[in-house]
Amino acid sequence: MQLPQLKLYNTLSRKKEAFSPIEPPFVGLYVCGPTVYGHAHLGHARPYITFDVLIRYLSELGYKVRYVRNITDVGHLQNDADEGEDKIAKQAKLERLEPMEVVQTYTNSFRADMLAVNNIPPSIEPVATGHIVEQIALTQQILDKGYAYVSNGSVYFDYQKYAEDGKFGLLSGRVFDDALAGHRELDGQSEKRNPQDFALWKKALPEHIMRWPSPWGDGFPGWHLECSAMSVKYLGKTFDIHGGGLDLLFPHHECEIAQHTAAEGNMPANTWMHVNMLTMNGQKMGKSLGNAISLKQFFSGDHPLLAEAYTPMTIRYFILQAQYRSTLDFSNEALQAARKGYRRLMNGLRALHGLTYAAESEVAFNQKAEDEVLKLVADSYEALSDDLNTAIVIANLFGMLKKINQYQLKPAETAQLSAETFELLTTQYRKIIVDILGLIEEDKADTGELISTILDFYKEAKEAKDYAKIDAIRAKLKAQGIAVKDMKTGITWAWEE
Ligand code: ZN
């Protein structure tokens, strides 16, 4: 099947562009990863699920993706404008842990959550503290090019000099003046030439635990620096796609571009993709805003704002219901509707098991039905190629589901389609749901409860002395590795040993 040309919205050019990688079939994708000082929340899940669908679809299109997603384990200060305490050091103090224990705890937690929502792990997952040498080298490179200066053991990016070339704010159209207007009087500003300058390397105060030696004294890297250093190391000086949440657009990505352009003389990535925010009752969700619900809380239902628990696949479906650049508002009602939609799609997968083409049927070929199915499949791929419009993809899947349900009810009507189109419908329904959208069946029944229901029938058969049925139940359970224990004290079961 010929798939349509992929078009992606590029934040840099502010339009959808036909995607063509620098060195096909290879695609370099860098996605800014989490700062690991707390459990991932729903807002985090959206960009990572979106980029997961992107890599799945790129693979479907025949590309080989190198997906680099970093872990920020040092240097992210509380204020994104470069001020305050290190987020991880602060959490370590709160939890009375070593900073690296905090990092390990929340890195493990993050990876478990990403696997739960069925995200494919990155090809490379570099951590900032593992790339101090590269970050020091990049800082030196920027100093050598004259776009940074040393002040009191710290190194700052010379924003004024860079902005004179008119290159700052390419993505967001924003510059530092308005963003920093309220922060001019903060401590530490005095060692900067201009309040807009941001740290490449920060001098560590005596009580600071996370510190490394450098040509400028003991210190630690600035947050923006790690992505510049690690993307070059693993993807080269120019790579295909740089992505992240919309909250990273400014200042983080603008600073990354400034650093990279100052050092290398070119833009780091050709395409910049930004995933829109999740809101709750119209308000942005985020840990720093105090209204973030962690994924673990969604999975357990343990949060005052949650009416019940929601499974990882319900969350995934909820996120994919909207195109990634549109806003998406969270509510219990929206999640309950998402669960319903997800289960309907899964029931369609189950319906496929027993469905075969009725070659010998009294029902005649129907060109209209044939065209409808062909269009539903084609439109799904058109939507995927149109900047990953998963909302339209799901609408078309429900169109296919309607056909599948019809044929499950009346198998003879499969003959309305040609054998090839019937095959296309069933294989593409599964492929789009499972392989591309990454929605998989999740067990929702309790095994113990199911077995005890079967044992009730066993008991009835025993009372009726129906030995054929007793043997049949025992044999079927044995095939599942389950032994019926028929004891004087009652009937129970055990795993076969
Ligand atoms: Zn980044």
Side-chain angles (χ1 to χ4, degrees):
M1 200 170 127
Q2 180 70 34
L3 298 181
Q5 163 75 50
L6 174 64
K7 291 187 296 289
L8 295 173
Y9 182 85
N10 188 351
T11 314
L12 200 56
S13 66
R14 291 165 178 74
K15 59 177 187 251
K16 283 184 205 170
E17 293 170 351
F19 174 69
S20 67
I22 299 163
E23 279 181 73
F26 302 101
V27 173
L29 167 66
Y30 188 94
V31 174
C32 291
T35 302
V36 282
Y37 69 110
H39 295 300
H41 58 76
L42 187 63
H44 286 124
R46 193 176 189 196
Y48 302 131
I49 289 174
T50 301
F51 289 108
D52 185 61
V53 172
L54 176 66
I55 57 171
R56 285 166 180 273
Y57 190 48
L58 285 169
S59 311
E60 204 54 46
L61 290 167
Y63 295 116
K64 302 210 177 314
V65 186
R66 181 181 290 170
Y67 174 27
V68 182
R69 186 180 70 205
N70 66 305
I71 295 275
T72 297
D73 59 354
V74 70
H76 194 170
L77 305 186
Q78 272 177 287
N79 183 327
D80 288 346
D82 213 11
E83 299 299 330
E85 241 181 307
D86 184 295
K87 290 183 179 186
I88 287 157
K90 190 185 172 209
Q91 191 64 25
K93 252 185 248 166
L94 275 174
E95 296 193 35
R96 296 173 149 246
L97 295 171
E98 274 289 315
M100 279 299 139
E101 283 183 287
V102 170
V103 164
Q104 192 67 56
T105 302
Y106 294 113
T107 301
N108 292 345
S109 163
F110 175 72
R111 287 183 183 147
D113 289 344
M114 292 300 103
L115 286 177
V117 296
N118 199 29
N119 282 350
I120 296 169
S123 335
I124 303 174
E125 194 176 40
V127 300
T129 55
H131 296 77
I132 299 294
V133 171
E134 288 81 354
Q135 294 179 79
I136 289 174
L138 177 57
T139 303
Q140 189 60 55
Q141 214 181 332
I142 299 170
L143 275 167
D144 294 345
K145 295 278 164 95
Y147 284 100
Y149 58 90
V150 183
S151 173
N152 189 30
S154 292
V155 183
Y156 291 101
F157 189 86
D158 191 341
Y159 170 78
Q160 213 77 47
K161 174 157 190 209
Y162 183 81
E164 272 169 20
D165 305 343
K167 285 184 295 198
F168 201 88
L170 291 175
L171 286 175
S172 62
R174 286 176 67 186
V175 290
F176 258 120
D177 292 298
D178 35 352
L180 275 188
H183 300 294
R184 282 164 197 259
E185 305 309 320
L186 288 174
D187 292 343
Q189 292 279 34
S190 51
E191 62 185 44
K192 297 183 187 179
R193 285 183 195 161
N194 292 293
Q196 299 95 333
D197 298 344
F198 57 90
L200 299 173
W201 186 263
K202 269 243 188 220
K203 177 185 177 169
L205 297 172
E207 68 273 19
H208 204 95
I209 303 171
M210 299 168 91
R211 58 198 299 143
W212 292 264
S214 82
W216 318 286
D218 273 14
F220 57 94
W223 173 41
H224 312 305
L225 194 65
E226 62 174 285
C227 291
S228 291
M230 299 191 295
S231 59
V232 167
K233 179 166 171 125
Y234 297 112
L235 296 173
K237 291 177 181 178
T238 310
F239 54 95
D240 297 303
I241 307 172
H242 192 311
L246 196 57
D247 53 337
L248 297 178
L249 181 64
F250 183 93
H252 183 57
H253 287 164
E254 297 287 14
C255 292
E256 268 190 54
I257 290 177
Q259 291 163 165
H260 185 94
T261 314
E264 307 288 354
N266 65 278
M267 291 288 283
N270 288 341
T271 304
W272 288 76
M273 289 174 70
H274 291 93
V275 178
N276 209 333
M277 302 283 94
L278 262 168
T279 55
M280 193 194 311
N281 303 321
Q283 262 201 315
K284 191 187 153 187
M285 276 177 104
K287 193 172 155 77
S288 52
L289 300 163
N291 66 350
I293 306 175
S294 75
L295 286 170
K296 286 181 170 51
Q297 287 169 322
F298 276 98
F299 302 159
S300 68
D302 184 19
H303 190 281
L305 289 170
L306 297 178
E308 56 192 303
Y310 300 98
T311 66
M313 285 300 114
T314 299
I315 301 286
R316 189 174 177 103
Y317 180 96
F318 167 69
I319 284 167
L320 295 179
Q321 268 180 326
Q323 202 269 352
Y324 73 88
R325 286 193 298 122
S326 60
T327 55
L328 178 58
D329 200 51
F330 151 77
S331 68
N332 281 287
E333 293 71 29
L335 278 174
Q336 284 152 4
R339 176 171 53 211
K340 207 169 179 172
Y342 158 71
R343 286 188 182 165
R344 284 179 61 204
L345 288 184
M346 289 299 118
N347 286 336
L349 285 182
R350 215 164 301 111
L352 291 181
H353 289 311
L355 202 59
T356 47
Y357 184 64
E360 310 285 322
S361 172
E362 70 281 7
V363 177
F365 174 78
N366 179 324
Q367 189 64 50
K368 187 168 164 277
E370 170 97 354
D371 290 346
E372 279 169 5
V373 168
L374 291 173
K375 184 168 161 37
L376 286 165
V377 174
D379 286 357
S380 298
Y381 283 99
E382 281 298 334
L384 278 165
S385 278
D386 184 18
D387 198 27
L388 301 181
N389 197 333
T390 51
I392 306 280
V393 176
I394 288 176
N396 281 290
L397 284 170
F398 278 113
M400 290 189 222
L401 176 63
K402 209 172 153 193
K403 296 283 180 193
I404 290 166
N405 287 338
Q406 175 198 337
Y407 299 143
Q408 192 191 24
L409 226 54
K410 296 175 184 166
E413 290 186 4
T414 53
Q416 286 182 339
L417 308 178
S418 65
E420 297 73 45
T421 300
F422 174 77
E423 176 72 12
L424 185 80
L425 170 68
T426 54
T427 55
Q428 291 303 325
Y429 181 79
R430 176 180 295 280
K431 181 185 269 297
I432 295 168
I433 292 176
V434 178
D435 299 344
I436 301 177
L437 297 186
L439 291 164
I440 50 171
E441 188 88 70
E442 82 200 334
D443 286 336
K444 61 189 204 64
D446 181 317
T447 311
E449 281 296 315
L450 285 176
I451 298 173
S452 97
T453 306
I454 296 168
L455 290 185
D456 286 344
F457 291 118
Y458 181 87
K459 215 183 280 177
E460 279 172 30
K462 214 181 138 191
E463 275 155 18
K465 297 196 164 46
D466 184 344
Y467 297 110
K469 191 176 265 177
I470 288 173
D471 289 348
I473 295 175
R474 292 190 84 103
K476 291 220 160 163
L477 285 175
K478 192 168 194 268
Q480 298 296 318
I482 294 159
V484 178
K485 298 265 186 188
D486 201 338
M487 299 184 293
K488 284 203 179 88
T489 45
I491 295 162
T492 178
W493 65 276
W495 295 115
E496 291 267 359
E497 285 159 15

